[in-house]
Amino acid sequence: MIGHSAPSPPLSFTNNIGGAFLALPAVTTPLGYIPAALGLFVAWTFLVGSSFAFIEAAGLVSDAKQSETKEEKKEGESGLTTVATIIQYAFGEKYASVGSFLFISQMFAVTTGQIVKGAELLSDFTPVPYLLACLLPPAIIGYSTFTSEPSVVERINTLLTVCMVGGFAALIVGAVQSGNHFCVIINTL
């Protein structure tokens, strides 16, 4: 297992932003703007709180692992703080598999949503068919991720996060300039 010293803020931000907005249009459009915005705010608040708790847990686990003596460390343990070690320290050996399963389920949901939305965009703006747009980018990203050093992957993740935040900033500026409903509500406050 490739481990990292601690979860990076870009990882937290991409999960918070990505997981919260991907499925909303199909589900919330029939409900209207205010319920959709409220649902997004609640989801975002929960995910931000979860990220802060996870980052704090990673720090506590990292400190605990550093204070362990060599005799206390399990054989084969790398000494890195990973999602698996955080779940193990938080819930114990007995419930670590349940926590790991729930975390993997969350990651599959977010990843699936991102692949689907990315494929929609790619197939809308290029001649690439939707099915190929679903398969090709994850295959390329997976290959480059598993053949690169973790530090390179982390740098690329940080750069992509900066691009994503820039894209959201451009979207917000565009919404303000177009007189989007949300901007009208903000201006009346």
Side-chain angles (χ1 to χ4, degrees), residues 5-172:
S5 57
S8 65
L11 172 66
S12 302
F13 293 139
T14 56
N15 284 334
N16 291 337
I17 295 169
F21 86 90
L22 289 170
L24 280 176
V27 175
T28 60
T29 298
L31 299 175
Y33 184 77
I34 298 297
L38 180 62
L40 179 60
F41 179 75
V42 169
W44 178 81
T45 303
F46 172 78
L47 290 170
V48 167
S50 296
S51 291
F52 283 130
F54 188 79
I55 290 168
E56 182 177 350
L60 293 172
V61 170
S62 181
D63 291 346
K65 288 176 74 81
Q66 288 177 358
S67 66
E68 288 179 347
T69 63
K70 289 182 182 180
E71 296 82 35
E72 293 174 324
K73 289 188 180 184
K74 297 177 184 173
E75 188 175 324
E77 193 174 271
S78 66
L80 297 175
T81 301
T82 64
V83 172
T85 58
I86 292 168
I87 291 171
Q88 251 178 340
Y89 271 79
F91 300 110
E93 292 286 332
K94 185 176 181 182
Y95 297 106
S97 59
V98 174
S100 295
F101 173 77
L102 293 174
F103 184 80
I104 290 169
S105 298
Q106 172 203 350
M107 297 310 297
F108 280 146
V110 171
T111 302
T112 301
Q114 290 172 340
I115 289 171
V116 167
K117 291 298 179 187
E120 286 176 8
L121 290 170
L122 189 60
S123 65
D124 284 347
F125 297 109
T126 67
V128 176
Y130 177 74
L131 181 60
L132 190 57
C134 282
L135 298 173
L136 195 58
I140 292 169
I141 292 167
Y143 177 78
S144 64
T145 298
F146 290 111
T147 58
S148 300
E149 291 292 320
S151 62
V152 172
V153 174
E154 289 174 358
R155 286 188 196 112
I156 291 170
N157 183 49
T158 301
L159 176 65
L160 291 173
T161 301
V162 168
C163 292
M164 180 192 65
V165 171
F168 279 117
L171 183 65
I172 291 167

